[in-house]
Amino acid sequence: MKERLQKVMAHAGIASRRASEKLIETGHVRVNGKVVTTLGTTVTDADQIEVNHKPIHREAPVYFLFNKPRGVITSASDEKKRKTVLDYFKHQVTERIYPVGRLDYDTTGALLVTNDGKLDYLLTHPKHEIPKTYQAKVTGIPDAADFQRLQTGVKLDDHHTSAPAEVRLVKKMGTDGQNALMELTIHEGRNHEVKKMFQAVGHPVEKLKRTVFAGLKLADLEPGQWRPLNKREVRDLLELAKGELPRENK
Ligand code: URA
């Protein structure tokens, strides 16, 4: 896979992307022995990159499963200085990690965090239809017609209809059973997809938690906790991303 030179430099821990761009523009960077000053340059794993005549060492990939708490943002930095997912890894993980995909500020649950750009690309590409399972507490109790619409696809806005999803009622909630805890597995990941789907059938989401991402289950990870993936999980994830495993979320 081709990646921008400044991104590869940043991932190798050379400098931030901005600072890496400066290094490129000012002639400090060589690709396969030739000075490169163009910012649009892309490189592959096979290219030799040197900064100030020293070859850069790309970081070994690392993979973590994180249980994102409410009130934490998924982007790497925030203008409003809100807490970010990466704050939970500070001082413990030195690699340049970032979250794969997004969860809303108020959504909790399974989030993959890695420095593997290729995996990030594969898992977030809509073509790969990576499964994600959510538990949503919704207002009211969806009826058979609502189930049918969620399963086959609901119109989300003027341009989008959701893809087929698996849905089940986990339990009725609230003192009079006036809320439902629903489980929904989707294979796409537009912004606010789950909230929009339930909104579209007249049962707005009150609380949302992702319980499984690409086969990775939260299990007993508490909000704010993370753990490294084991070798088998990494292998399965890479195979799933390459399309060599069935896309189940069991
Ligand atoms: N769908 C949503 O609506 N929100 C999320 O955070 C994830 C999926």
Side-chain angles (χ1 to χ4, degrees), residues 102-107 134 186 190-196 208 210:
R102 280 195 223 160
L103 287 177
D104 294 337
Y105 186 64
D106 58 353
T107 301
Y134 295 87
I186 57 173
R190 290 205 188 88
N191 272 352
H192 316 305
E193 176 104 9
V194 176
K195 289 177 186 166
K196 284 184 182 167
L208 188 61
R210 184 156 72 188

Side-chain angles (χ1 to χ4, degrees), residues 2 15 17 21 43 62 64 82 100 134 140 153 167 182 185 194:
K2 287 191 166 186
R17 276 193 210 183
E21 287 175 357
V43 289
V62 290
F64 304 99
R82 289 175 297 184
V100 173
Y134 295 87
V167 60
M182 303 291 293
T185 299
V194 176

Side-chain angles (χ1 to χ4, degrees), residues 160 216-217:
H160 300 115
L216 297 166
K217 287 191 202 129

Side-chain angles (χ1 to χ4, degrees), residues 23-93:
L23 286 169
I24 297 169
E25 284 179 322
T26 48
H28 292 268
V29 183
R30 286 169 194 261
V31 177
N32 302 326
K34 281 198 189 132
V35 173
V36 164
T37 52
T38 322
L39 283 186
T41 304
T42 55
V43 289
T44 69
D45 283 350
D47 291 315
Q48 299 292 321
I49 303 162
E50 287 171 275
V51 178
N52 293 332
H53 301 285
K54 285 196 203 120
I56 70 164
H57 297 290
R58 300 186 190 192
E59 280 175 357
V62 290
Y63 306 90
F64 304 99
L65 182 64
F66 178 56
N67 185 348
K68 179 188 145 342
R70 282 166 89 86
V72 172
I73 60 156
T74 314
S75 17
S77 64
D78 183 42
E79 293 153 6
K80 295 190 210 156
K81 301 256 181 277
R82 289 175 297 184
K83 202 161 189 175
T84 79
V85 163
L86 295 186
D87 288 339
Y88 288 83
F89 292 82
K90 248 188 208 162
H91 312 302
Q92 295 175 76
V93 175

